[in-house]
C-alpha cells in the first residue's frame, strides 16, 4: 500500500527536479553572454539533473519489485568527473583568452626570502 | 485527466522526455553558433549528459535494468572525449 502510493509520487518528484535542472542548464548554455558564465550552467545538469533521474530510476526498480542500486555507480562517476571536466573547459577558456583575464600582479621586489628589505635585515641581525 | 500516483508518474516521465529532448536541441544550437572552441566542447559535454538522461528515462519507461551498462559506458566515454578535446586545445597533443 505504501509502496504503491508513495513510490510513484517520489519518482514523479525526482523526475520533476531533474527536468527542472536539465532545462535550466540548457537555457543557461544558450542564453548567457560570457564563456565562463556559460560554463557554470551545464555543470548543474551533470550533477543535480542526471542525479535526480538516476535516483528516480533506482526508486522505479523498487516499484517494479526488482531492487537494484546499480545507478548509484553512475551517480558517483558523474559526481567525480564533472568538476574535472569543468576545470579543463575553464583552462581552455583561459588558454584561448575568450574571457576577461585578471590583472597582472604588481612588481614586488621583496618577495619571499630572496630579496629581504633593509628593515627586516636589521631585525634578523639582532636575533 | 486523473491524478492517481501512477498517472502522475507517467505525466512526469513524458515531461522529462520532452524537456530533455528540448535541452538536447538547445545544446545543438550552442554547438552550431558557439563563438569559441570552449563553447563547442561544453555543448558536446552537455549533449553527452543529456543522452545519459534520455537513456535512463527510456529504462524507466520500459521498466528494465538493461540500459544501466549503456549509461555507464557513455558516461566514461563522454568524460574521456571531453578531456581529450580540451587537452588537444591546451597542449596541441593528447598523449605526450
Amino acid at each position: 500500500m505504501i509502496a504503491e502510493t508513495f513510490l510513484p509520487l517520489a519518482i514523479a518528484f525526482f523526475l520533476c527536479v531533474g527536468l527542472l535542472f536539465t532545462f535550466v542548464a540548457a537555457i543557461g548554455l544558450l542564453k548567457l553572454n560570457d564563456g565562463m558564465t556559460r560554463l557554470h550552467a551545464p555543470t548543474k545538469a551533470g550533477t543535480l539533473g542526471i542525479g535526480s533521474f538516476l535516483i528516480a530510476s533506482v526508486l522505479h526498480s523498487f516499484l517494479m519489485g526488482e531492487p537494484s542500486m546499480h545507478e548509484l555507480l553512475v551517480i558517483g562517476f558523474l559526481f567525480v568527473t564533472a568538476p574535472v571536466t569543468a576545470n579543463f573547459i575553464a583552462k581552455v577558456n583561459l588558454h584561448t583568452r575568450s574571457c576577461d583575464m585578471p590583472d597582472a600582479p604588481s612588481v614586488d621586489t621583496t618577495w619571499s626570502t630572496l630579496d629581504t628589505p633593509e628593515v627586516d635585515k636589521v631585525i634578523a641581525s639582532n636575533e | 485527466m486523473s491524478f492517481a500516483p501512477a498517472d502522475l508518474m507517467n505525466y512526469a516521465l513524458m515531461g522529462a522526455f520532452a524537456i530533455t529532448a528540448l535541452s538536447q536541441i538547445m545544446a545543438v544550437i550552442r554547438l552550431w553558433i558557439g563563438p569559441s572552441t570552449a563553447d563547442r566542447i561544453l555543448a558536446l559535454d552537455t549533449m553527452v549528459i543529456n543522452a545519459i538522461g534520455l537513456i535512463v528515462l527510456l529504462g524507466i519507461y520500459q521498466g528494465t535494468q538493461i540500459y544501466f551498462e549503456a549509461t555507464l559506458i557513455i558516461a566514461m566515454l563522454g568524460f574521456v572525449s571531453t578531456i581529450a578535446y580540451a587537452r588537444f586545445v591546451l597542449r596541441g597533443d593528447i598523449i605526450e
Side-chain angles (χ1 to χ4, degrees):
Chain A
M1 179 62 196
I2 291 175
E4 286 176 358
T5 58
F6 176 72
L7 273 180
L9 289 179
I11 293 168
F13 171 75
F14 278 112
L15 283 175
C16 287
V17 170
L19 177 159
L20 191 70
F21 275 100
T22 309
F23 196 47
V24 165
I27 291 175
L29 180 67
L30 201 55
K31 293 293 286 182
L32 288 175
N33 295 321
D34 190 32
M36 281 294 197
T37 50
R38 271 199 292 272
L39 172 61
H40 100 269
T43 47
K44 275 76 192 170
T47 52
L48 281 167
I50 302 301
S52 297
F53 283 161
L54 287 164
I55 289 173
S57 177
V58 170
L59 292 177
H60 190 262
S61 74
F62 278 93
L63 184 66
M64 288 283 108
E66 301 168 348
S68 74
M69 308 286 271
H70 291 160
E71 283 82 358
L72 295 180
L73 271 177
V74 185
I75 295 180
F77 186 79
L78 285 176
F79 270 48
V80 167
T81 57
V84 181
T85 308
N87 186 22
F88 264 87
I89 295 173
K91 279 161 80 176
V92 171
N93 261 327
L94 286 173
H95 183 74
T96 55
R97 303 294 173 109
S98 58
C99 61
D100 291 334
M101 301 293 286
D103 295 333
S106 59
V107 178
D108 189 5
T109 55
T110 62
W111 183 80
S112 187
T113 59
L114 294 175
D115 190 5
T116 315
E118 296 300 321
V119 186
D120 294 342
K121 279 179 183 170
V122 175
I123 296 172
S125 62
N126 287 338
E127 288 173 354
Chain B
M1 196 178 209
S2 62
F3 281 103
D7 289 335
L8 202 61
M9 188 186 75
N10 283 329
Y11 292 142
L13 195 58
M14 292 305 133
F17 265 121
I19 292 295
T20 314
L22 189 62
S23 306
Q24 192 80 302
I25 293 170
M26 289 160 88
V28 170
I29 295 172
R30 175 51 72 190
L31 179 67
W32 185 262
I33 66 175
S36 71
T37 314
D39 292 322
R40 295 201 163 92
I41 298 172
L42 183 62
L44 281 174
D45 188 55
T46 311
M47 286 179 69
V48 169
I49 295 288
N50 285 335
I52 296 170
L54 280 175
I55 292 174
V56 169
L57 291 175
L58 189 67
I60 296 177
Y61 179 68
Q62 297 185 351
T64 62
Q65 294 288 323
I66 59 172
Y67 295 115
F68 157 70
E69 285 88 359
T71 57
L72 196 55
I73 288 172
I74 288 180
M76 288 178 178
L77 278 180
F79 170 66
V80 170
S81 59
T82 308
I83 296 298
Y85 273 128
R87 274 196 74 83
F88 184 71
V89 175
L90 284 172
R91 306 287 297 177
D93 203 352
I94 295 171
I95 299 172
E96 298 175 54

